[in-house]
Amino acid sequence: MQSIGFVVFPNFQVMGFAAITVFEVANFVAQETVYSVSLLSEQGGLVRSSAGFSVETEAFDGKVFDTVIIGAGAQIEPSAPALLDFVRRSMQTSRRVAAPCTGAFVLAEAGVLNGRRATTHWFFARQLQKRFPRLKVEEDRIFIIDGPVWTSAGMTAGIDLALAMVEKDLGPEVARSVARKLVVYHRRAGGQSQFSALLELEPKSDRIQKALDFAKQNLRSTLSVDDLADAANLSPRQFSRAFRAETGQSPAKAVENLRVETARLLMEQGRLSMDVIADETGFVDRERMRRAFLRAFGQPPQTVRRNARIGA
């Protein structure tokens, strides 16, 4: 049985408990208790969350855990010395130490991220890099594994991190089964972007959303304004005006962003050639795809794919 110590502190963010559910469901799928989870804190007892309720915890002691996960805080605050000592000790005694979201700041304070690659919630990434220049922050990653240290983006990315642990421990079939029972996609690749073109567009009406859905399902097609307007049941002029008003982008730019996002995901999966990806995503040829990637990321597709392989 693998023991997991999940560390909380005053005003911890409760979304981190979603990762605990992954291990709970993994036990159900495996039909045995593979994982046991203990909630830990500096002094033990009740610890109040940022949502206002409290949870019962055990105090740090000499117990050794296979995996230690540092919870995220609602705000970035200095860590207690006892917490930092616990992290440093765990680096010597545990198989892996993980920190979703702002938990990376705790690892950085403890010095265990020096010389390592790490990620965190995109909103705090620049702050993490500025405060701790000895680590390499990759702000657009879902999660990163650097030796025994695992870090992830914020909120639901903790689920991806926990699913990756289950996959490493019990295999991909168990991880996929856990994901299905949680009603989530099988874990996103660690190198996948934290950002989504559809989320950034945020249309306000069903008609514009319908046009975007149509575009994403038909990226190999030309996707003219007339095509998108038909999907939205609007005239081309009405559609163009409404689309820009709701999304802040032209239809052509939005379609390019969707193509770039889809192409990037295919590159991170690593199974298709650049020519096939360009064709599948509607860029037609590699040169058009290269120019679009330079506009979006300032990097050519080859660099994006290489970085994903390094992350993997």
Side-chain angles (χ1 to χ4, degrees):
M1 185 169 61
Q2 299 182 27
S3 58
I4 298 175
F6 192 99
V7 179
V8 297
F9 36 79
N11 293 317
F12 72 92
Q13 221 289 324
V14 295
M15 186 67 194
F17 283 175
I20 295 178
T21 302
V22 171
F23 301 116
E24 175 189 2
V25 176
N27 287 339
F28 175 79
V29 170
Q31 298 184 334
E32 62 176 305
T33 305
V34 179
Y35 300 103
S36 66
V37 180
S38 301
L39 291 184
L40 307 174
S41 68
E42 180 180 356
Q43 298 178 345
L46 292 174
V47 177
R48 189 176 178 85
S49 71
S50 61
F53 62 83
S54 300
V55 296
E56 186 70 33
T57 66
E58 303 173 23
F60 298 150
D61 55 24
K63 185 177 180 181
V64 174
F65 295 90
D66 174 80
T67 300
V68 170
I69 302 176
I70 308 300
Q75 297 180 347
I76 308 299
E77 298 178 355
S79 301
L83 173 57
L84 299 180
D85 288 342
F86 177 76
V87 169
R88 296 183 189 109
R89 185 168 69 252
S90 297
M91 283 293 295
Q92 303 299 319
T93 59
S94 299
R95 178 164 61 102
R96 58 194 174 200
V97 175
C101 196
T102 57
F105 283 80
V106 179
L107 299 190
E109 278 190 84
V112 303
L113 291 183
N114 291 342
R116 296 186 185 273
R117 298 164 51 246
T119 192
T120 186
H121 192 294
W122 62 267
F123 186 80
F124 299 103
R126 303 288 174 85
Q127 183 180 345
L128 180 63
Q129 185 67 82
K130 184 177 180 179
R131 284 184 56 185
F132 303 100
R134 295 178 63 188
L135 63 91
K136 169 61 176 174
V137 177
E138 298 186 15
E139 63 183 82
D140 196 24
R141 304 295 86 187
I142 293 295
F143 64 86
I144 288 176
I145 305 170
D146 191 326
V149 180
W150 300 49
T151 54
S152 80
M155 297 301 178
T156 59
I159 297 175
D160 299 287
L161 186 74
L163 283 170
M165 290 181 177
V166 170
E167 181 172 321
K168 186 173 182 64
D169 296 339
L170 304 177
E173 289 303 319
V174 173
R176 277 193 287 270
S177 182
V178 172
R180 284 195 296 270
K181 286 179 170 54
L182 291 174
V183 197
V184 298
Y185 291 111
H186 180 47
R187 72 162 179 83
R188 294 171 289 182
Q192 187 173 334
S193 172
Q194 293 186 31
F195 302 99
S196 166
L198 282 176
L199 288 176
E200 289 181 352
L201 290 169
E202 293 185 342
K204 299 177 177 61
S205 69
D206 291 340
R207 286 188 172 186
I208 301 302
Q209 182 63 62
K210 186 177 179 180
L212 286 170
D213 292 341
F214 173 82
K216 194 160 189 179
Q217 294 166 11
N218 295 275
L219 288 179
R220 293 187 67 179
S221 303
T222 305
L223 292 176
S224 65
V225 171
D226 288 351
D227 295 330
L228 298 175
D230 284 343
N233 293 317
L234 294 169
S235 71
R237 185 173 180 179
Q238 288 175 316
F239 173 76
S240 295
R241 186 186 306 116
F243 192 94
R244 187 177 288 276
E246 292 190 24
T247 68
Q249 296 183 19
S250 69
K253 184 64 176 176
V255 168
E256 179 176 287
N257 287 341
L258 289 173
R259 284 181 168 138
V260 165
E261 182 179 275
T262 304
R264 178 175 179 168
L265 178 58
L266 291 173
M267 289 172 198
E268 289 167 348
Q269 293 172 346
R271 292 189 290 268
L272 301 176
S273 70
M274 291 295 187
D275 289 323
V276 171
I277 292 173
D279 184 59
E280 288 290 325
T281 54
F283 284 114
V284 181
D285 58 56
R286 293 178 60 170
E287 178 56 27
R288 292 183 185 180
M289 184 169 70
R290 187 187 71 85
R291 292 198 298 267
F293 267 67
L294 289 173
R295 285 191 291 270
F297 306 123
Q299 296 177 330
Q302 292 85 350
T303 301
V304 172
R305 168 165 275 180
R306 183 169 61 251
N307 290 341
R309 285 173 176 170
I310 293 172

